[in-house]
Amino acid sequence: ARAIGAAADGFADLHWGREPLLVRGADPGGFRDLLDLDGVDELLSRRGLRTPFVRLARNGAVVDSASFTGPGGVGAEIADQVRDDRVAALFADGTTVVLQALHRTWPPVIDFCTLLAAELGHPVQANAYVTPPSSRGFSAHYDVHDVFVLQLAGRKHWTVHAPVHPDPLRTQPWNDHAGAVAARARDDEPAVDTVLEPGDVMYLPRGWLHAATALGEVSAHLTVGVHVVTRFALVEALTALVAGDEELRTSLPLGVDVADPDQLAPHLDAVRAALAAALERVSAEDVARRVRGRVWSGTRPEPVGPVAAAAFADGLAAGDTVRRRTGLRHRSAERDGQLVVDLPDRSITLPAATGEALRTLLSGTPCAVGSLPGMDEADQLVLVRRLLREGVLVPAASS
């Protein structure tokens, strides 16, 4: 709702993965709290960014990073830190600055993307594009992920064309269809031809062609990329899981010419039959476990301050309030008489007696230590302190 305002009501049915959406004044404040031009300067000059956190583009092509990076100086023996003076010169000469992975480097964008990923159920990233007056950073292209474009500053003219390769996978980038992309952008009427101003938002499903040009002043927009989980992810999971089938691992005959379709055909028929049988034996639970590993690790949950977190856990007392860490992917189940909480990178085993209290803590609602069901106060302190140290819970006041 923050990104697309009232249009969120019908978004899933009308636009998600289907059609672009343009929302005027989705945020009357212009998203200044997420990033402004002063923040851009701070990132480029005072945060010690390295490639690939910064990328530059000019006339549709990426600029060699050697032209704007260099050693970090005494005490920071790093060869590829961004040189703000070189970036300034290139920017003044019409080069677009791309601040990549702001969902990892800029706190307001980190918080926004954490919440958005939790809401959408798909991993999210964010880049900012800062374009000099009357300049274009990239020529017409498409992305292999959905995007929300949030205009931060200035005005930018956008043209959007229908896909030449609908619903591209991550292994199918636009340059695989460069000729068709260029022809579509050159010869066809755009589906969207508009100017975005601060506070405006545009949603583009993956595959839609787009190009943007700044108008008369410095323009900045935030592109929030949604790395959608596709049906092909299920295909990949099934393929990996049927590797457990012995018949599908059988060697082809000695001397077979795999370039000869006639020789390969009978073996292909046998594999098709064995594959169909093997797929029937793969459970939805196995597929879910396989797919979730990739999705759960795609977006980090909200940040945890290690020093503050340790101090809070050490001083935990009855009455302190905690909540589940925003954006933390998890799943809990009883196995072999114990409760197991699966996390993106590990599993935590807890006594079965913690079940009711654990469900309460993982519900997402702030909970006060001492009021959890099914456990006495001393055991509640032990459980909550464990989950705080595991990064599952955070102090409720930290939100």
Side-chain angles (χ1 to χ4, degrees):
R2 171 83 197 273
I4 56 175
D9 290 342
F11 177 73
D13 296 329
L14 299 176
H15 296 281
W16 174 252
R18 295 181 178 88
E19 298 283 342
L21 172 66
L22 176 63
V23 182
R24 298 293 185 192
D27 188 327
F31 302 107
R32 285 188 296 271
D33 59 313
L34 295 182
L35 180 67
D36 59 15
L37 295 181
D38 288 340
V40 170
D41 277 346
E42 180 177 335
L43 281 159
L44 291 170
S45 62
R46 297 180 180 274
R47 293 299 182 104
L49 293 185
R50 305 172 62 190
T51 55
F53 285 101
V54 175
R55 187 166 51 128
L56 269 57
R58 181 175 173 82
N59 297 327
V62 175
V63 175
D64 185 353
S65 63
S67 65
F68 62 89
T69 60
V74 175
E77 283 73 21
I78 298 169
D80 64 346
Q81 279 196 318
V82 171
R83 288 187 53 187
D84 48 6
D85 55 342
R86 294 303 306 141
V87 173
L90 288 164
F91 186 78
D93 198 34
T95 301
T96 288
V97 173
V98 185
L99 294 165
Q100 301 198 131
L102 288 174
H103 61 293
R104 295 297 310 135
T105 60
W106 191 247
V109 178
I110 292 172
D111 294 342
F112 179 77
C113 288
T114 298
L115 291 169
L116 186 61
E119 189 173 346
L120 296 177
H122 298 258
V124 166
Q125 68 167 80
N127 297 344
Y129 295 77
V130 188
T131 307
S134 305
S135 298
R136 170 182 284 192
F138 294 92
S139 56
H141 65 283
Y142 67 71
D143 293 322
V144 293
H145 48 262
D146 292 19
V147 298
F148 292 93
V149 177
L150 284 59
Q151 188 68 20
L152 303 172
R155 301 163 68 242
K156 191 164 284 186
H157 178 219
W158 286 79
T159 54
V160 176
H161 290 80
V164 299
H165 182 65
D167 298 328
L169 299 174
R170 294 195 61 75
T171 55
Q172 299 169 335
W174 75 271
N175 46 302
D176 287 352
H177 304 273
V181 168
R184 174 66 53 86
R186 181 186 65 241
D187 301 334
D188 293 5
E189 288 295 317
V192 178
D193 187 346
T194 191
V195 173
L196 294 188
E197 300 186 355
D200 292 346
V201 172
M202 184 164 56
Y203 163 75
L204 297 175
R206 59 197 164 105
W208 284 76
L209 316 186
H210 54 277
T213 303
L215 299 177
E217 58 186 323
V218 174
S219 172
H221 72 269
L222 187 70
T223 293
V224 180
V226 184
H227 290 241
V228 293
V229 185
T230 69
R231 287 185 171 183
F232 195 74
L234 305 186
V235 174
E236 292 174 320
L238 288 168
T239 301
L241 290 165
V242 298
D245 187 275
E246 184 175 349
E247 190 171 354
L248 289 172
R249 301 199 308 272
T250 301
S251 300
L252 293 177
L254 190 67
V256 65
D257 182 0
V258 295
D260 184 348
D262 292 334
Q263 287 193 42
L264 208 58
H267 304 295
L268 186 58
D269 290 340
V271 167
R272 285 194 180 106
L275 179 60
L279 289 173
E280 289 293 329
R281 294 190 290 271
V282 176
S283 70
E285 182 178 351
D286 289 338
V287 174
R289 187 178 298 111
R290 185 88 188 185
V291 174
R292 83 183 186 200
R294 191 167 77 180
V295 176
W296 282 10
S297 61
T299 301
R300 293 193 186 186
E302 72 172 290
V304 170
V307 176
F312 182 82
D314 288 343
L316 188 69
D320 288 341
T321 306
V322 295
R323 60 173 174 82
R324 189 188 72 233
R325 191 175 168 195
T326 301
L328 178 71
R329 303 298 185 96
H330 69 281
R331 186 175 179 85
S332 58
E334 187 170 340
R335 299 175 197 154
D336 301 324
Q338 292 184 306
L339 282 175
V340 178
V341 182
D342 293 322
L343 300 173
D345 59 343
R346 65 196 186 283
S347 295
I348 300 172
T349 302
L350 298 167
T354 63
E356 197 174 357
L358 181 64
R359 283 190 292 274
T360 301
L361 289 166
L362 295 180
S363 68
T365 303
C367 306
V369 180
S371 64
L372 300 174
M375 300 180 70
D376 62 31
E377 184 177 292
D379 288 340
Q380 289 182 46
L381 286 167
V382 172
L383 173 63
V384 172
R385 190 173 284 117
R386 166 82 186 279
L387 295 177
L388 284 166
R389 288 174 173 161
E390 294 281 4
V392 174
L393 302 177
V394 294
S398 68
S399 61

